[in-house]
Amino acid sequence: MAASSSPSNATPSERFLAAALGFSAGVMLYISLVELLPAGVDGLEDAGVSGAEVWGPVAFFAGVLLIAVIDRFVPEEINPHEEPSATGGARMRKVGVMTALAIAIHNFPEGFATFFVALQDASLALPLAVAIAIHNVPEGIAVAVPLREATGKKWAAAGWAALSGLAEPAGAVIGYLFLRPFLGPASLGITFAVIAGIMVFVSLDKLLPTAIATGRHHAAVYGVIGGMAVMAVSLVLLT
């Protein structure tokens, strides 16, 4: 039987989702390893920090550890990157709400990261924001689908999905208010290296596994290469 083509039931195709998530991962990996981590080391050197070439990678892996710890606090059964089970209205409602909370926790450091990248170079922040937006598509679906199944209210489900996404601007504002008194070459250098670690972890632990899980492995890989290529070209043109 052919799948329904009703707009209300439409979801991204597996090929498109795999390629889009791969593209997002490629952008984030390239920015992190080619721009943010080197900028972090340079910032530490400019601040006169001894052993900047050591402290930059230390801050990078501290970022990896930070997001890994956050990820461990999200129970597997409500992980936003797992497909929710469609059994029982009450369970579906709980899954949707808890998934929204889980995604909000994940999104907070992403908003923080985008903001601080923009402080360094707005030309880097735009593609990073687009990459994060692409990676938020399946997360929004993970929130909205179980809530819609449980309540039958698509706009309420969409509202919960949107609310979970507001954690990103909240992360930017709170991160800035917390770090504003400490901003300087050294603190920015450490921050950029930490952000690079966060972005690499999100790409390798979330985006790529989710893309490959669609069953469109090659589309995911082509998306990664495409994201890196687009980021490389854009950096050449904008610098």
Side-chain angles (χ1 to χ4, degrees):
M1 180 180 293
S4 171
S5 60
S6 170
S8 61
N9 294 324
T11 57
S13 70
E14 290 178 344
R15 188 183 302 276
F16 172 81
L17 191 57
L21 289 171
F23 183 91
S24 177
V27 168
M28 292 168 70
L29 287 169
Y30 195 90
I31 288 176
S32 297
L33 298 177
V34 175
E35 289 291 322
L36 294 184
L37 181 55
V41 174
D42 289 345
L44 292 172
E45 290 178 344
D46 291 343
V49 175
S50 178
E53 68 280 0
V54 174
W55 289 112
V58 167
F60 173 86
F61 286 107
V64 172
L65 179 62
L66 172 64
I67 191 64
V69 169
I70 292 174
D71 193 61
R72 291 292 294 175
F73 278 106
V74 181
E76 184 176 350
E77 61 270 19
I78 60 168
N79 191 292
H81 302 93
E82 297 292 337
E83 186 175 355
S85 171
T87 56
R91 172 173 170 76
M92 292 292 284
R93 185 181 295 108
K94 181 179 179 180
V95 167
V97 173
M98 293 303 292
T99 300
L101 177 61
I103 288 174
I105 294 171
H106 280 75
N107 284 352
F108 190 91
E110 292 174 1
F112 173 87
T114 305
F115 177 80
F116 275 90
V117 171
L119 285 180
Q120 182 206 25
D121 189 343
S123 67
L124 291 179
L126 180 58
L128 178 59
V130 171
I132 290 176
I134 292 172
H135 129 244
N136 283 347
V137 170
E139 293 185 346
I141 293 172
V143 174
V145 167
L147 287 174
R148 185 188 172 205
E149 291 296 320
T151 66
K153 299 177 179 178
K154 62 181 181 181
W155 290 113
W160 274 99
L163 187 62
S164 69
L166 292 178
E168 291 192 3
V173 172
I174 294 172
Y176 175 70
L177 292 177
F178 178 75
L179 291 177
R180 181 174 57 180
F182 310 104
L183 290 180
S187 60
L188 282 176
I190 292 173
T191 300
F192 290 140
V194 168
I195 290 170
I198 291 173
M199 294 293 99
V200 167
F201 183 91
V202 169
S203 298
L204 298 180
D205 186 64
K206 303 303 178 188
L207 297 184
L208 287 181
T210 304
I212 292 172
T214 64
R216 302 292 184 174
H217 172 86
H218 287 99
V221 173
Y222 297 153
V224 171
I225 302 303
M228 289 183 171
V230 168
M231 197 65 246
V233 171
S234 66
L235 289 174
V236 169
L237 294 177
L238 294 173
T239 57

